[in-house]
Amino acid sequence: MKICQVERPLVSTNRIPGFEHKNLQVVRDGSTQQVAVDAVGCMPGDWVICVGSSAAREAAGSKEYPSDLTIVGIIDHWPPETGAAGSGGAG
Amino acid sequence: MEIRQVVGSLVCTHRIAGLGHWDLRLLQDTKGKHYVATDPVDARPGDWVFVVSGSAARYAMGDAGILTDLTIGGIIDRWEEERAAAVEPTSATSATTARAA
């Protein structure tokens, strides 16, 4: 699984039927953007965990669902302390 | 899934039976690298699309017997305007960083 940040919803009216009406989100993993099926209902700015490969298909609904990246959870607190490495979070 | 732009069609008459007669599109990422994908949604040159890769690409064709590893999943309604507005979450992150520092 990998950690990504949700950027915004991706609107695609003309899509293959296999995707049904599930929400798609543009997520950022470091410097690369990807599109993920949203199985949990997240908001822009949320940090999420995403699964790939065959787990992504099943996580999105069924083994035949054509997803290669599915959001499976919203991280409660992330990043814990972004600047903490340098400044020491205790203060 | 990745976001790509359609730059044209690819004619490939001599092909394996496993590809069927599906349209092939030539795609390009933001760095100019080219990809070929099967296209069940009839995308046009200039369209921004998202693509499904790996084994999910076969399911995206609606038939796991189609031997593709990259399929166009849908045409993105708006892309350029949204990309311009996309800076918000990352600026929120840097604001957190600034507070921490």
Side-chain angles (χ1 to χ4, degrees):
Chain A
M1 285 181 277
K2 60 180 176 182
I3 293 168
C4 299
Q5 188 177 26
V6 178
E7 286 202 336
R8 63 186 186 282
L10 182 130
V11 183
S12 168
T13 312
N14 186 352
R15 58 168 82 179
I16 54 174
F19 272 111
E20 300 160 10
H21 291 97
K22 287 197 161 53
N23 286 340
L24 301 171
Q25 302 278 358
V26 178
V27 299
R28 179 173 287 279
D29 166 28
S31 62
T32 59
Q33 278 181 325
Q34 286 190 299
V35 180
V37 175
D38 183 1
V40 291
C42 42
M43 306 282 286
D46 281 350
W47 288 90
V48 294
I49 50 175
C50 298
V51 294
S53 72
S54 63
R57 303 205 303 265
E58 209 158 335
S62 76
K63 286 190 169 109
E64 284 76 39
Y65 192 91
S67 172
D68 63 5
L69 193 69
T70 301
I71 299 170
V72 294
I74 302 170
I75 302 170
D76 289 21
H77 306 291
W78 183 272
E81 273 122 273
T82 317
S87 60
Chain B
M1 281 81 76
E2 314 282 340
I3 293 168
R4 302 278 182 258
Q5 189 173 29
V6 179
V7 292
S9 292
L10 201 71
V11 180
C12 186
T13 311
H14 192 96
R15 57 169 78 182
I16 58 165
L19 271 178
H21 297 289
W22 289 98
D23 285 343
L24 300 174
R25 298 277 179 258
L26 187 61
L27 310 179
Q28 188 173 272
D29 66 12
T30 49
K31 292 177 184 129
K33 194 174 172 210
H34 287 103
Y35 303 84
V36 177
T38 44
D39 179 11
V41 295
D42 198 21
R44 308 283 172 92
D47 282 350
W48 287 91
V49 297
F50 65 95
V51 292
V52 183
S53 60
S55 61
R58 311 213 318 250
Y59 292 99
M61 294 304 294
D63 172 6
I66 303 291
L67 301 182
T68 178
D69 68 353
L70 197 67
T71 297
I72 296 176
I75 301 166
I76 302 172
D77 288 23
R78 289 177 301 279
W79 174 243
E80 293 295 343
E81 311 96 272
E82 293 193 12
R83 190 162 55 168
V87 284
E88 252 186 320
T90 40
S91 66
T93 312
S94 50
T96 314
T97 316
R99 271 202 303 277

